[in-house]
Amino acid sequence: MRRLAARGAAGDAGEAAAPAADRTDCARGRGRSPWRLIDLRAIWDTGVVLPAADWKGPSSGVAGRRLNKAEALSSVRKAQFERLEAARPRGPGSRERGPVLRMAGQQPPPWVLAALLLCLPSLGGAIEIPMDPSIQNELSQPPTITKQSVKDHIVDPRDNILIECEAKGNPAPSFHWTRNSRFFNIAKDPRVSMRRRSGTLVIDFRSGGRPEEYEGEYQCFARNKFGTALSNRIRLQVSKSPLWPKENLDPVVVQEGAPLTLQCNPPPGLPSPVIFWMSSSMEPITQDKRVSQGHNGDLYFSNVMLPDMQTDYSCNARFHFTHTIQQKDAFTLKVLTNHPYNDSSLRNHPDMYSARGVAERTPSFMYPQGTASSQMVLRGMDLLLECIASGVPTPDIAWYKKGGDLPSDKAKFENFNKALRITNVSEEDSGEYFCLASNKMGSIRHTISVRVKAAPYWLDEPKNLILAPGEDGRLVCRASGNPKPTVQWMVNGEPLQSAPPNPNREVAGDTIIFRDTQISSRAVYQCNTSNEHGYLLANAFVSVLDVPPRMLSPRNQLIRVILYNRTRLDCPFFGSPIPTLRWFKNGQGSNLDGGNYHVYENGSLEIKMTRKEDQGIYTCVATNILGKAENQVHLEVKDPTRIYRMPEDQVAKRGTTVQLECRVKHDPSLKLTVSWLKDDEPLYVSNRMKKEDESLTIFGVAERDQGSYTCIASTELDQDLAKAYLTVLADQATPTNRLAALPKGRPDRPRDLELTDLAERSVRLTWIPGDDNNSPITDYVVQFEEDQFQPGVWHDHSKFPGSVNSAVLHLSPYVNYQFRVIAVNEVGSSHPSLPSERYRTSGAPPESNPADVKGEGTRKNNMEITWTPMNATSAFGPNLRYIVKWRRRETREAWSNVTVWGSRHVVGQTPVYVPYEIRVQAENDFGKGPEPDTVIGYSGEDLPSAPRRFRVRQPNLETIHLEWDHPEHPNGILTGYTLKYVAFNGTKVGKQIVENFSPNQTKFTMQRADPVSRYRFTLSARTQVGSGEAATEESPAPPNEATPTAAPPTLSPTTVGAPGTVSSTDATATVATEATAAPIVPTTAPAAVTTTTATESPPTTTAGTKIHESAPDKQSIWNVTVLPNSKWANITWKHSFGPGTDFVVEYTDSNHTKKTVPVKAQAQPIQLTDLYPGMTYTLRVYSRDNEGISSAIITFMTSSAYTNNQADIATQGWFIGLMCAVALLVLILLIVCFIKRSRGGKYPVREKKDVPLGPEDPKEEDGSFDYSDEDNKPLQGSQTSLDGTIKQQESDDSLVDYGEGGEGQFNEDGSFIGQYTVKKDKEETEGNESSEATSPVNAIYSLA
C-alpha cells in the first residue's frame, strides 16, 4: 500500500506563500446583485478571478496608481505582471453555476482586462482606459497612435497604395495628412480616400493613374479636443524593376592561371535585386574558393583553368515586388593554355598547376584594391567585410582584428572565408580588421578600418502620463546616437516654443516637468530626436483625471476554500486621486490586518490558514476625497477530501476474485467522484469488474490484471489519491510432451525485414520470426536508427506481442528511418535482425518545443537560458534551430529574441536577481513550432544587504535575546544567516563564536556564561553567492557597570509628597524597583522618569523619581511611571482592579505609529523594546476589558544612543553649585568642631544610626549632654586627628546618606559621589557614653 503525496486538483494552497504584490490599488466591492460563484481553479490558471459562466456584467474599469515620473513606466509594467502573479491564490476553489470551466480559449470579461491593465504602482505612468462603454463614455483621453506604416514604405505599382494610420482616444479622434510638409487635401483627389473610423489612406488606380505621381513624404495627424498625436514621417516609394540594357558581349580571352572578374552591373532597382549566376541553359555555376560571387554581384576567378570555358556565364537579377528574374547576356570564355588537352586525370594531380604548365605566383587582391580601406556601419546593422584574392595556387583567406579577438558570438565566415559578417554591430566592434591571403608562394594582407556610427535609439522613451488634479509629474525623452542626437519638443504637433505659455510646465532639456497639474493641462507632447543617420518620434499625452472610487470586479462573489488552506480575496478598483482600501468582516470590527490576515499593497486580503471561523462576508471599502465604493465577498470553508481506508497491495492466484477498497470522507456539500487508474492510465471497467462507491472488484483475475491500481477521490475543490499493486500468480503447468523437457534458449534473430504500405507518416514492417528454441516468443521489440542527429545509435520504437510478425509503425516527419527487430522470450532477447532499407519521411514544422527550459544566472549581471535539445524524431525538418525570447517579468516591454542553433544562450547586462519570462520555440525550414509555454527564470544573485532592525534585548542576567528582520534587498534566495559574537570586558576580548541559522529564523536566545562581560554581535545574511553586509550591535551593559547616582538631599518631613519635592525613601524605592524590574542597566546617565496621575492633569517629568498619588475609590489606573533608556523603557502603574485583570499599554511615536502591548496583572513592571533613541512617545494604560478605564496620556522621550552625545557633568551649573555648597558646609563643620573641642562642654551629638532626629529623643529637649574634652581623643568619624595621627576607621559613612559630601569623585556616567570619612577612636568614659562625629545636620542643630 502506498499513499501518494498529492492533494488538491489545483495544488495545496499552503505550499508556498503568494509573493507580495507591488504598490497597486486593486480591490473588490459590494452590491445588491445575487451571489455569484467564482472558480478558484480559473484563478490559479490565469492569475485573476473570472466570474461564473452565466455572468454578463457590463462594467469594467480603470485601476492603478500613476507615475509622477514617466520614465518609471518599465517598473510599472513589471509591477503589473508581478501583481497578477501575486494574485494567484494557492488554495482550491470552484464554480457551481454551470459546468466547471477550464480557461483554454475563453475570453475574460472586461473587468479582468481592466484589472490586468490598470492595477499599476503608486508612481503610475500610462494607464490604459478599458474598453467598457460605461467608463469610456466618462473618462476622456487624448489621442494615441496605435498603428502606422513603416518609415520607408515601398509599394508594388500593380496594387493600390495603402498608407496606414490608426489612433484611439475619447472622444474618437479625427485625421488629416500632410504631404511633403504641406496639407494634403484628400477631398480634391478622387483616387484618394480615407477608411471609416481610421486615418488610413487608400489610393486606387483601378480607374487609371501613375503611382509614381504619389511618391513623397506623408505624415498623419490624429486630433480630438484634448490634443493632437503625430505619426512618423512616412516616405512613400514605388518599387522599380528596370530592364537590363541590351549589349553584345565578345568572348573573354584569358590566359590559363590568370585572374578574371566578370562584372554584373545590374540595373538599379527599388529595392535592390538579388544577384546570382547561372549558365544560359539555367544551370547554376559551381562556386568554391577559386570561383565565387562577390557581394557586389561580380563573379571572381582567382585563377582561370581550362575547364572554365566549358560553359557560359550569365548574371541574373531577381526583383522582390514583381517576382521577376531578368537575365543578362551570357559571357563566353576563351582560355589560352600551354596544355591544350583537358586531361581529366590532371584534376586530382597533387600539383595540378605545374602539370598543366601554369606558373605559380604570390597572392594579390582583386577586391578591395590596395593594402588599406575604410568602412562605416550603423549600430545594430550587420557589418560585411570582403576580401577576394588571386594567385596560383588559389590563396586561403584568414581574418583577424587588431588588438583583440573576433567576437565569436556574432562573427561568422561566408563565401568560403572570403567574407566576414558581424551581426548586430555595436560600438565595441569598431577598430581595424585585416584579411590575410596566403598560398605556398607567399602572403599579403589588407587592412579595413571600421567606424561604427548610430542612428538615434531610445534610452528613455516618453510615456503617457495620467495624473490627478494637483499632482506633479514629468516626461523624459532621452536618446543616444553617434553623432549625439538633438531633442526637439512639440505639443499637439506644434513646436513648444510657439505654444501658449503654461505656468505649470517647465522644460529642462530632455525633460518636461509639470507642477500642480489641472484639467486644462491635458495635451499630447511629441519628442523628436535626430541626427544625420535618422530620427525617432514619440507621442506621450498628459491626462488629468478626477474620478470617485469604483469597483471593477463583479458584485457579491462566492469563494469556497478547503479547510486549513491559504486563500486570497481580491478587490480591484479604480479612482483618482488614488483611493485607500480597507477590509472588514461581517460588517463590523476594525480593519483586518495582522495575525491570520495579511493585506497586500495591491489591496488583496490573504488568509494564511483558513479555519471554520473565517467563514463569513468580507467587505472591502475604497475611499478618496470624492467618495467611496465597496464590494463584498462571501467565503465558505469546506472540509477536505480524504481516503481513510486505502487499497492494499495484494497477491492473487489466477481465476480468483480480488476486491480493492477505497473509502472516502468528504464535505457533504461537495459532489464526490471516485475514479480508478491502472498503471497510471484510466481503467477500462470490463464485464469482469464491478466498480462501486467504496471498492473495485475484479472477478476471474488474469495475468493482464496485474499492475498498479490508483484510487482518485475528487471534488470540485480538491482530491486525494491512494495506490496499491496487484500481483497475479500463474498456475503451475505440467509438461504435456517431450518438448517441454528440452533445454530452452534465447530465440534466433528475425530475418527478411520488408517495408510496405509506405505513407507520409506511417509504414508497415514485416519480418519472418526466427526459431524460439523451445521457449515461446512473448514480444517483438522494433528499433530504429536515423543518420542525421545520432547516426549509428538505435532507439526503441515500439513493442508488439509475440504472435504477430507485421505491424504498422507511426513515424515522425523528416527522419531517414532504418529498422531492426529483436525477439524476446522468457530466457532473454535475440540478437538484432539485419537492418531494413531506409525510408525518409517528408518534413513539417515542429509539433513541440524543447523541454527543461531554465533561466539561471551564472554571474550577478547575466542569465543563462538552457534547454534539452530536441531529437531527430521531434525535429520534423532540416536546420532545426530555436527562437529564444525573454523579457522582464511583470512588464510590458517588447520581447528580446535571438535564434540559436545550440542549447544555451546567455543574456548579459541584467539587474541582480530579477524574474524573467522565457520562451523557447523550435523552428526548422518548414516553419515554426507551436507557441511555447512561458517559463520563469532569474538573473544572477548578489550579496544581500544587511538584516534590518537588528535588536539586542537582555531581560535578565542569564539570557540575551536577539531579533532581526529580513534584509531589505535579498538580491537572491536567502540560504541562511551567520551570527558571530564575542565577549569583551574592557580591553579583554574572548573567543569568537559563529552560529548559522536557517533563512526563516529571525530570533535567537543566548545563555550568558559570564554575567559581567558584554557581547558584540555581528549578523549577516547569506545567499548562494556568499555572506552580505553585516549589522553590528552590542549587548547592554550589565548592572555592575552602572554607576550609582547621588541621592537628593534629605528634606523636612513636612515636604514629603508635596508637588516638586522628593523624599529620600522614595528615591531609594525607585532605584530598587528599577534594579528589580529592569536588569538591563544602561551605561549612560539615567533618563527621565515620567509619571502621571489618574486625573486629567498634565504629565509631570522628574529625574529618576515618581510622584505619589492617593488611590481613588472607584476602579481606575494611576501613578504610571516610565523609566526610559535609549532603546527601551520600563513601565509601572497602580490600579484598583481585582487580581487577574489584564491591561493594555498603548504607545505612539512622533511618526504617529501606534503600538499596543497586552499585559497580565501580575506582570509589572513591563519593558517596551524596539524604541528609537531620542524620540518622543505618548503612552497610556487601559483595562483590556473596558477601554474606557484608562490612565492619563503621558509623554516621555528616550535618551540619545551614545554617551558621547551628552554634556560633561563637570561643566553643568547645578554640579558646580552643589560642590560649592558642600565645600562651605564642610568648612563650617570643621570650624565648629575645632571650637567645641577647644572649649569643651556639652553639645548635641547622636549615636551613629540610620534614623533621623525625632522629637521623642529626650536628649533633644536641652540640646546637649556631657562630654569630656581630652586632647588625645580625636573627633570620632574624622579621618585625621588634630595631632596628625592616622588610624584605620571602622566604617566609612558616605555623604550620600545625608545628601552632601566632602571629597568628590566622578563615576563612569559622570554622576558625583561625595564621600566624607572620619577616623573613630573608641575610649571608655564614665557612664559608658560613646561619642561620635557630629553629622552635618546635627552640627546645624547645635549651632541653633
Side-chain angles (χ1 to χ4, degrees), residues 788-998:
Q788 182 177 1
F789 288 87
Q790 292 179 301
V793 179
W794 290 89
H795 308 273
D796 289 345
H797 183 280
S798 50
K799 190 176 183 179
F800 300 98
S803 58
V804 302
N805 68 331
S806 180
V808 176
L809 307 179
H810 297 283
L811 310 178
S812 298
Y814 203 74
V815 178
N816 195 18
Y817 283 101
Q818 185 174 236
F819 301 99
R820 70 182 186 184
V821 182
I822 299 174
V824 181
N825 64 10
E826 65 177 8
V827 178
S829 302
S830 70
H831 292 292
S833 68
L834 296 178
S836 69
E837 60 184 358
R838 288 195 177 272
Y839 175 61
R840 178 183 290 278
T841 55
S842 58
E847 295 181 359
S848 61
N849 290 307
D852 297 330
V853 178
K854 299 177 182 177
E856 298 174 344
T858 58
R859 290 197 294 264
K860 68 178 182 180
N861 60 349
N862 77 351
M863 178 180 65
E864 184 179 64
I865 304 174
T866 60
W867 57 90
T868 301
M870 300 170 64
N871 55 28
T873 58
S874 56
F876 286 16
N879 292 328
L880 177 65
R881 50 199 178 271
Y882 305 98
I883 302 174
V884 183
K885 298 181 180 180
W886 68 93
R887 70 178 178 187
R888 288 274 295 274
R889 184 182 178 190
E890 315 301 348
T891 65
R892 289 189 175 181
E893 64 185 19
W895 289 89
S896 300
N897 66 84
V898 66
T899 300
V900 179
W901 273 261
S903 60
R904 64 184 290 271
H905 176 70
V906 178
V907 180
Q909 303 302 319
T910 62
V912 175
Y913 198 69
V914 295
Y916 279 81
E917 293 180 328
I918 301 170
R919 295 179 181 176
V920 180
Q921 184 179 26
E923 182 185 26
N924 60 26
D925 287 355
F926 290 93
K928 297 180 180 179
E931 282 298 319
D933 295 333
T934 300
V935 176
I936 303 301
Y938 286 84
S939 56
E941 300 184 15
D942 199 0
L943 300 178
S945 61
R948 294 183 298 162
R949 299 187 63 193
F950 185 26
R951 307 175 294 280
V952 180
R953 294 191 302 109
Q954 183 174 302
N956 52 55
L957 294 178
E958 288 76 25
T959 60
I960 297 178
H961 294 318
L962 308 181
E963 295 183 11
W964 61 91
D965 293 343
H966 296 302
E968 181 179 2
H969 302 290
N971 292 335
I973 299 175
L974 289 181
T975 59
Y977 293 92
T978 299
L979 175 68
K980 301 178 181 179
Y981 58 94
V982 61
F984 67 94
N985 192 346
T987 59
K988 297 181 180 180
V989 179
K991 181 180 179 182
Q992 179 174 275
I993 301 175
V994 179
E995 300 278 356
N996 290 311
F997 306 127
S998 68

Side-chain angles (χ1 to χ4, degrees), residues 1234-1254:
F1234 181 80
I1235 294 173
K1236 288 293 183 179
R1237 186 179 183 196
S1238 300
R1239 288 172 45 193
K1242 299 180 180 180
Y1243 64 95
V1245 295
R1246 303 290 302 173
E1247 287 293 324
K1248 183 179 180 181
K1249 299 179 182 178
D1250 293 330
V1251 295
L1253 290 171

Side-chain angles (χ1 to χ4, degrees), residues 114-184:
L116 291 177
L117 297 173
L118 305 175
C119 296
L120 304 181
S122 60
L123 297 177
I127 297 179
E128 285 288 340
I129 307 300
M131 301 305 296
D132 185 84
S134 64
I135 296 181
Q136 285 284 332
N137 295 335
E138 293 181 19
L139 302 182
S140 58
Q141 183 180 9
T144 302
I145 300 293
T146 59
K147 189 176 183 181
Q148 57 183 318
S149 296
V150 295
K151 294 179 181 179
D152 291 317
H153 189 32
I154 302 175
V155 297
D156 192 333
R158 299 170 298 178
D159 299 332
N160 292 335
I161 296 176
L162 206 69
I163 310 177
E164 290 184 315
C165 178
E166 295 182 7
K168 65 178 181 180
N170 185 24
S174 60
F175 299 87
H176 72 269
W177 288 81
T178 61
R179 178 186 176 195
N180 298 328
S181 301
R182 300 180 62 184
F183 176 72
F184 184 39

Side-chain angles (χ1 to χ4, degrees), residues 253 478 511 596 628 797 861 1024 1218:
V253 180
R478 294 195 183 101
T511 303
N596 196 36
K628 72 176 182 177
H797 183 280
N861 60 349
Q1024 300 180 29
L1218 178 62

